[in-house]
Amino acid sequence: MVKKYYDEFGKLPLAKMAQSMSDMTYSYHETKVPTAHYKKLLDKSFEEIIESNISINLVDTYFKTLKTLHDENPKWFMQALLCLDVKVRPSSIKANEYQALELTYAKFLEDKSKHVAPAYISMFENIRDNGATYNLE
C-alpha cells in the first residue's frame, strides 16, 4: 500500500502541522491563511470542539420536533409561536386575544409570511454567503 501524506500528518508537531495546513490552503487559489490561525484551532481543547457538536445536535432535535409540529398543523404551530412572542398563555386566553390570534393567522397566510422576521432571514443569508466579517460591523 502506498503511504500518503495524511498517514504522517498526525505525527507532525503542532507548529509544523499548522504550517502545512497554511501551505495547503495557499495552494488553493493562493488563499493566504496565517499559520497562527491553524495553530490556534489545533490547540483547542477537545471539550471546546465537543461543545459545538452537542449544540448543533440539540438544535437538530429542536428542528425535528418543530418540523413535525409544523407539518401536523401549520396554523396551530404559527399561533403557538405568536403566543410565545406576545406572552399569551393559550390555557388562559381571553376572547379578544383569541380573535387577534385567528385574524393574525389569516393575515399571515394572506401575506405568505415566514415564521422569522425577514431581517433575520436576510442577515442569515448575508452571513452564509459573505461571511461574518463582511456583514457584522
Side-chain angles (χ1 to χ4, degrees), residues 5 9 12 15-25 35 38:
Y5 182 59
F9 187 76
L12 294 174
K16 286 194 181 260
M17 193 181 285
Q19 182 60 55
S20 293
M21 290 173 73
S22 183
D23 293 344
M24 286 187 276
T25 305
T35 302
Y38 290 115

Side-chain angles (χ1 to χ4, degrees), residues 89-108:
R89 295 187 68 81
S91 60
S92 60
I93 197 166
K94 298 175 185 141
N96 62 335
E97 292 169 332
Y98 180 73
Q99 180 186 35
L101 201 59
E102 289 292 317
L103 294 175
T104 302
Y105 179 72
K107 182 66 173 159
F108 177 83

Side-chain angles (χ1 to χ4, degrees), residues 44-63:
K44 275 188 175 181
S45 70
F46 193 66
E47 289 78 19
E48 288 177 273
I49 295 167
I50 294 296
E51 185 178 314
S52 63
N53 288 338
I54 290 170
S55 177
I56 200 64
N57 285 336
L58 288 173
V59 169
D60 186 49
T61 301
Y62 277 65
F63 171 81

Side-chain angles (χ1 to χ4, degrees), residues 5-6 8-9 23 35 37 41 44 55 60 62 67-68 72 83-84 88 107 109 115 118:
Y5 182 59
Y6 173 79
E8 295 300 313
F9 187 76
D23 293 344
T35 302
H37 170 71
L41 291 174
K44 275 188 175 181
S55 177
D60 186 49
Y62 277 65
K67 183 169 180 352
T68 300
E72 286 177 7
C83 285
L84 280 171
V88 167
K107 182 66 173 159
L109 271 184
H115 292 291

Side-chain angles (χ1 to χ4, degrees), residues 64-82:
K64 288 175 182 173
T65 302
L66 293 173
K67 183 169 180 352
T68 300
L69 292 170
H70 179 268
D71 291 348
E72 286 177 7
N73 194 315
K75 176 182 179 181
W76 294 345
F77 179 80
M78 180 274 180
Q79 288 178 330
L81 290 176
L82 183 58

